[in-house]
Amino acid sequence: MSAPLSSGADVAHVDAVFKGLPHKASHLSAEPVSALASGFMWPVAVIHDSALRNNAALMAEVCQRFGIQHAPHLKTAMSPELAQLQASHGAWGFTVGSPSQLRLARSWGTRRLVLAAESVDTEFLRWLRGQLEDDPEFEFYLFIDSVRGAEVAGRHLAGIGRQAGMLIEIGHPGGRAGVRDAESADAVARAAVDAGLSIAGIAGYEGTIGAQRTTEVETAITAYLRRLRATTEELDAAGLLGADRDSFVVSCGGSTFFDLVAEELGHAWTLTRPVTTVLRSGCYLLHDHEFYASSSPSFPWSTGLRPALEVWAQVISRPEAQLAILNAGRRDIGFDLGLPIPLRVIDPNSGAERTAAGTITELNDQHAYLEIPLDFHLAVGEIVALGLSHPCTTMDKWRALPVIDADNRVVRYVHTYF
């Protein structure tokens, strides 16, 4: 079942208030326009359409092959246009990371949402109850991992029934939120039942176990996923999962190890209700050139995920023989999981491209230091396409991004709302 979005996803006039974009860029018609001859002011973040569609189709095929569902995490881009693309590829619902993100997603018309975090914010929970009462088709899932959290949620969401499903979050030692043992899971579940809440199932997050795809990390993640399965079975056997529900939800899966989640949680269950396994991957759609590129899964039937997001910066200074200064920095590019990577040099006049050389060694607020080989020619005014690591912390720096085709023509725009 696709998650519907309203026509409100067509938002925001694109003009000079958007960093890098041409004045009145909404002139874009049905005909693509050149990204190099349309008034862009560098730097500009761009999204490659072919990679974007490849990644959306790959996740849809993974879900189809493993018989699971997908609630893409909106925090990566906070973009209604990208959410619409994911909905068109069969998204079961959407995931958010905070109450404010959930409120924004509701304004886009989303009808099934997972808040992948605990919340004891009474103002939010009061607002949420109003949303659920006003829209009988709105379906919501909340993580809980404490008796206190269950009690607070119960004061605001009790009596809503299946519209508001609690997911007992299962954590791991040294991890983030989530109960650490079976006894705590049982206690939280009983508190939720006593508070009049409907327990939809369980949830977890495997990404905090390890970032690199090593045998040791994969083994630990597999053990964790099996603990999620065992805990679900124990809660069901104890009669603590919602008797009012047609099926239970088991949710896990970031963008690095979603293949392991699909393999471990996607095969047959023997519970009192059918199980809907839900991935919550978000970064997969844009992917990247380093962090996720080095650790994301590969499949024998696919060419894999492709990086879709780049930042194009202009060479503004060649102060030393092996140094070029680009006009993009920390205000334009995320750097929490690695500095950007020079990919291509683009002649802004002819559009000709060649492979880049060198290494970004430092970022200032608005400048990047590109160290290049002595024999590599790079002129002031040329454009350097930069590959990125971790798309989340780059997307939040851009309010609008052009989507380009294989000939570097702008075919549409994507907007973000952070």
Side-chain angles (χ1 to χ4, degrees):
M1 171 183 175
S2 295
L5 296 175
S6 71
S7 58
D10 298 321
V11 290
H13 176 70
V14 184
D15 58 25
V17 303
F18 294 98
K19 181 170 64 176
L21 269 60
H23 180 59
K24 295 183 179 179
S26 53
H27 72 282
L28 180 63
S29 65
E31 294 298 321
V33 297
S34 169
L36 296 171
S38 299
F40 285 94
M41 299 179 185
W42 316 110
V44 171
V46 303
I47 298 174
H48 289 275
D49 191 46
S50 60
L52 191 70
R53 294 186 181 279
N54 170 82
N55 298 344
L58 173 60
M59 183 60 76
E61 186 170 1
V62 168
C63 291
Q64 189 275 326
R65 284 176 178 260
F66 285 97
I68 59 180
Q69 300 288 352
H70 184 209
H73 210 313
L74 295 178
K75 71 177 178 66
T76 296
M78 293 304 296
S79 167
E81 293 92 349
L82 294 184
Q84 186 64 65
L85 174 65
Q86 292 166 316
S88 72
H89 282 77
W92 172 85
F94 292 98
T95 301
V96 292
S98 69
S100 61
Q101 290 176 8
L102 190 141
R103 186 171 62 178
L104 182 61
R106 279 294 287 160
S107 75
W108 301 341
T110 51
R111 291 285 177 79
R112 182 184 281 139
L113 285 164
V114 179
L115 175 53
E118 286 70 19
S119 178
V120 290
D121 182 339
T122 56
E123 191 62 38
F124 163 65
L125 293 172
R126 278 194 290 267
W127 172 86
L128 179 63
R129 186 179 184 99
Q131 291 286 302
L132 292 163
E133 291 177 337
D134 292 344
D135 183 358
E137 295 186 16
F138 177 32
E139 189 176 327
F140 170 74
Y141 296 88
L142 175 67
F143 285 19
I144 55 174
D145 73 348
S146 68
V147 170
R148 172 65 174 163
E151 291 170 347
V152 173
R155 286 201 292 271
H156 296 278
L157 301 178
I160 294 294
R162 290 185 299 173
Q163 264 188 280
M166 302 298 110
L167 299 175
I168 309 298
E169 184 176 8
I170 311 300
H172 62 87
R176 206 159 52 190
V179 298
R180 299 303 202 245
D181 51 56
E183 293 74 16
S184 298
D186 184 272
V188 172
R190 291 185 186 279
V193 171
D194 291 344
L197 298 169
S198 174
I199 304 180
I202 68 161
Y205 177 56
E206 78 292 348
T208 48
I209 293 174
Q212 300 303 317
R213 188 171 282 268
T214 64
T215 300
E216 181 181 10
V217 169
E218 289 189 348
T219 298
I221 288 173
T222 298
Y224 170 70
L225 294 171
R226 290 175 180 171
R227 186 160 70 85
L228 261 64
R229 177 180 281 270
T231 303
T232 308
E233 293 169 346
E234 291 163 3
L235 293 177
D236 185 40
L240 293 173
L241 298 186
D244 60 336
R245 313 198 71 86
D246 297 326
S247 66
F248 301 139
V249 171
V250 176
S251 178
C252 202
S255 292
T256 301
F257 301 103
F258 64 83
D259 56 325
L260 300 182
V261 175
E263 291 167 3
E264 288 297 327
L265 301 182
H267 61 79
W269 292 76
T270 55
L271 304 183
T272 58
R273 301 284 192 281
V275 171
T276 300
T277 301
V278 180
L279 298 179
R280 302 191 309 274
S281 309
C283 292
Y284 81 94
L285 188 63
L286 295 168
H287 200 47
D288 71 7
H289 296 81
E290 184 173 0
F291 179 75
Y292 288 106
S294 67
S295 56
S296 288
S298 60
F299 301 96
W301 39 265
S302 168
T303 56
L305 296 171
R306 292 162 49 192
L309 179 64
E310 297 175 353
V311 171
W312 291 5
Q314 192 165 42
V315 180
I316 59 171
S317 178
R318 285 297 320 277
E320 299 173 13
Q322 291 185 259
L323 178 64
I325 302 298
L326 314 182
N327 65 344
R330 295 173 179 231
R331 299 299 180 94
D332 312 297
I333 300 169
F335 55 93
D336 58 316
L337 294 178
L339 293 171
I341 303 165
L343 302 173
R344 302 180 309 283
V345 177
I346 307 170
D347 185 320
N349 299 309
S350 68
E353 297 188 7
R354 66 185 191 277
T355 301
T359 304
I360 298 292
T361 59
E362 185 179 350
L363 293 178
N364 295 159
D365 275 6
Q366 312 289 173
H367 299 82
Y369 295 66
L370 174 58
E371 186 178 293
I372 59 175
L374 192 59
D375 60 352
F376 185 75
H377 175 73
L378 185 62
V380 168
E382 290 189 300
I383 306 299
V384 180
L386 298 172
L388 309 168
S389 185
H390 194 197
C392 296
T393 53
T394 292
M395 288 296 288
D396 65 9
K397 294 170 174 56
W398 300 88
R399 293 175 59 193
L401 302 88
V403 180
I404 61 176
D405 65 14
D407 296 315
N408 290 341
R409 297 178 301 179
V410 180
V411 295
R412 63 186 182 282
Y413 291 98
V414 158
H415 305 83
T416 69
Y417 296 86
F418 286 94

